[in-house]
């Protein structure tokens, strides 16, 4: 498991869209052996909008931004409070880069160390923390845009789930999400293999599915996607006996009754392994990334899964110059896919990339660990003619918010 998810368990025991309505072809032509067919960007201006300082403004953002009107909202996994080792923060930012902390987490009962982005619904922000709350097993929280925070639900760490690291999805006024652990004793892990849950407007939580840790998958870390009556997501582990018998992860489907089926179980070789991010749906085809696997370099992939369930690797990352170890999901705009890699690139601090339907990649920016940032973990959002994102490190040492012109 990568360091990000290991860190979640060590600390405590995107706005998610219903679909991504781009015009990308539903069947990508070409072979499944695309590798480092990469070009350097020529005219995509990069701007570091904000550099976090740790305290009191926040530190180490892992989550995507969400735009509400003329402002951006997000979370930092640490910082806030009085020092850089604080419990995390909710912030808002003008499109020009002015930042304000709305709320600093304290641990109990409000939660701590938020990993996921926020969901904006009817003037209220909703999110999750993988730690803190009443029992230390994480929370679902609400926050007004003025910064009044409330833990709507605290996970108990047993059959109800534990450590939600994903954001929330709104379907008909009910919130849906996943937990990394918990789920009860019907799993081959003492900590539980994770759950899919829903929370109604009264704060009542119901588990839709409990992962068993075998062929069905284990440790879901990513946001859900909803399309045509079903939820789609990924598990970081499980799916079979590959990858040292822990499984290399899955793409799964769950219907409204809670019936789960595996769409694809990763083998850990050329098809990829360990998806950290969720999938998007474009014209019925799923697109996503794996953080490892993909061949000899083992630096991850971009993949598609067609209507038939067949998986095809669009691109295999090689490290330099195209990037390595993507932890974030994909954004589709027109006929292009956009994403980030946590490492690789010209200086091995990550990239922002653009990819066409054949898997040919253009690196829009290679991070240097300077003022621009380093190690982006979060998916991108599009605002007018720009891509906006967060980088976990770099800047003043505590991460950045950046934009790139399309």
């Amino acid at each position: 498991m990568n360091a990000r998810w290991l860190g979640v368990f060590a600390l405590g025991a995107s706005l998610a869209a219903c679909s991504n309505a781009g015009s990308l072809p539903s069947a990508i032509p070409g072979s499944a052996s695309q590798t480092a067919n990469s070009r350097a960007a020529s005219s995509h201006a990069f701007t570091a909008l904000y550099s976090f300082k740790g305290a009191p403004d926040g530190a180490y953002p892992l989550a995507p931004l969400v735009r509400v009107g003329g402002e951006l909202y997000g979370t930092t996994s640490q910082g806030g409070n009085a020092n850089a080792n604080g419990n995390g923060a909710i912030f808002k930012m003008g499109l020009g880069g002015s930042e304000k902390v709305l709320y600093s987490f304290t641990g109990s009962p409000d939660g701590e160390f938020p990993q996921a982005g926020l969901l904006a619904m009817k003037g209220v922000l909703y999110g999750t923390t993988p730690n803190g709350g009443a029992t230390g097993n994480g929370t679902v929280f609400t926050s007004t845009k003025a910064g009044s925070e409330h833990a709507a639900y605290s996970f108990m760490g047993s059959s109800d789930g534990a450590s939600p690291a994903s954001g929330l999805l709104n379907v008909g006024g009910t919130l849906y999400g996943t937990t990394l652990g918990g789920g009860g004793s019907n799993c081959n892990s003492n900590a539980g293999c994770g759950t899919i849950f829903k929370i109604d407007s009264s704060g009542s939580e119901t588990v839709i599915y409990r992962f068993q840790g075998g062929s069905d998958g284990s440790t879901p870390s990513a946001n859900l996607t909803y399309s045509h009556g079903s939820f789609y997501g990924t598990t970081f582990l499980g799916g079979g006996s590959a990858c040292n018998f822990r499984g290399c992860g899955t793409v799964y489907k769950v219907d409204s009754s809670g019936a789960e089926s595996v769409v694809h179980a990763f083998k850990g070789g050329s098809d990829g392994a360990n998806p950290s991010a969720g999938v998007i749906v474009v014209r019925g085809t799923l697109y996503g990334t794996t953080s490892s696997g993909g061949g000899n370099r083992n630096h991850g992939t971009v993949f598609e899964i067609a209507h038939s369930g067949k998986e095809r690797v669009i691109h295999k990352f090689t490290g330099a110059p195209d990037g390595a170890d993507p932890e974030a999901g994909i954004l589709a705009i027109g006929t292009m896919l956009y994403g980030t890699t946590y490492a690789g690139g010209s200086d091995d601090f990550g990239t922002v990339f653009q990819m066409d339907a054949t898997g040919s990649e253009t690196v829009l920016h290679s991070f240097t660990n300077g003022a621009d940032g380093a190690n982006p973990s979060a998916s991108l959002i599009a605002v007018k003619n720009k891509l906006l994102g967060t980088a976990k490190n770099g800047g003043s040492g505590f991460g950045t918010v950046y934009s790139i012109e399309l």
Side-chain angles (χ1 to χ4, degrees):
M1 187 179 298
N2 65 22
R4 177 179 171 186
W5 307 124
L6 280 173
V8 171
F9 288 113
L11 289 167
S14 163
L15 179 65
C18 293
S19 64
N20 193 302
S23 58
L24 198 76
S26 59
I28 290 184
S31 70
S33 61
Q34 293 286 345
T35 54
N37 183 9
S38 178
R39 302 182 298 273
S42 57
S43 59
H44 298 274
F46 178 96
T47 302
L49 294 175
Y50 188 78
S51 181
F52 291 96
K53 302 182 178 53
D57 60 338
Y60 312 124
L62 296 173
L65 302 164
V66 58
R67 181 188 180 187
V68 182
E71 293 181 306
L72 305 170
Y73 293 84
T75 62
T76 63
S77 63
Q78 294 184 49
N81 300 315
N83 59 70
N85 295 317
N87 299 319
I90 303 169
F91 67 87
K92 73 174 181 179
M93 183 173 294
L95 295 178
S98 59
E99 193 252 20
K100 179 182 179 181
V101 171
L102 297 180
Y103 185 78
S104 291
F105 290 92
T106 64
S108 179
D110 55 340
E112 60 187 346
F113 310 125
Q115 310 279 315
L118 299 166
L119 169 68
M121 186 171 65
K122 296 182 179 180
V124 178
L125 302 172
Y126 296 83
T128 64
T129 67
N131 302 94
T135 67
N137 290 291
T139 68
V140 171
F141 67 83
T142 67
S143 174
T144 67
K145 289 188 285 186
S148 177
E149 194 261 11
H150 169 67
Y153 184 80
S154 286
F155 290 90
M156 302 305 292
S158 55
S159 61
D160 66 332
S163 302
S166 68
L168 298 167
L169 172 68
N170 169 32
V171 179
T174 299
L175 304 181
Y176 295 82
T178 64
T179 65
L180 285 166
S185 59
N186 58 346
C187 176
N188 60 11
S189 165
N190 291 332
C193 292
T195 69
I196 302 170
F197 67 87
K198 67 178 180 180
I199 291 186
D200 64 22
S201 58
S202 70
S204 176
E205 191 246 21
T206 302
V207 173
I208 299 172
Y209 185 78
R210 294 178 174 91
F211 289 93
Q212 307 298 305
S215 61
D216 65 331
S218 172
T219 322
S221 62
N223 287 14
L224 296 165
T225 296
Y226 184 77
S227 180
H228 296 92
S230 294
F231 297 94
Y232 294 86
T234 64
T235 64
F236 189 82
L237 299 174
S241 60
C243 298
N244 297 322
F245 301 100
R246 297 185 304 168
C248 300
T250 70
V251 177
Y252 64 83
K253 174 182 178 180
V254 174
D255 66 22
S256 57
S257 70
E260 192 249 20
S261 59
V262 173
V263 179
H264 181 77
F266 293 96
K267 305 298 189 296
S270 61
D271 69 327
N274 308 125
S276 294
V279 293
I280 62 171
V281 183
V282 182
R283 296 185 182 181
T285 299
L286 306 177
Y287 295 89
T289 62
T290 64
S291 61
S292 61
N296 293 334
R297 299 292 182 89
N298 203 39
H299 284 314
T301 70
V302 176
F303 66 85
E304 68 152 13
I305 299 178
H307 294 268
S308 64
K310 182 179 180 180
E311 190 242 20
R312 183 194 308 234
V313 172
I314 302 169
H315 188 85
K316 300 174 184 177
F317 291 98
T318 64
D322 60 333
D325 314 328
E327 294 189 356
I330 290 293
L331 173 68
I333 304 175
T335 60
M336 292 292 181
L337 299 172
Y338 296 87
T340 64
T341 65
Y342 185 82
S346 59
D347 295 291
D348 202 25
F349 291 108
T351 69
V352 178
F353 65 84
Q354 170 188 281
M355 194 170 292
D356 69 18
T358 69
S360 179
E361 186 217 50
T362 299
V363 175
L364 303 183
H365 183 74
S366 281
F367 290 90
T368 66
N369 199 29
D372 59 336
N375 310 122
S377 288
S379 302
L380 300 162
I381 66 168
V383 177
K384 297 182 178 179
N385 65 331
K386 294 181 179 180
L387 300 173
L388 285 84
T390 62
K392 175 186 175 183
N393 297 312
S396 298
F398 299 100
T400 66
V401 176
Y402 62 86
S403 70
I404 296 179
E405 291 185 7
L406 290 174

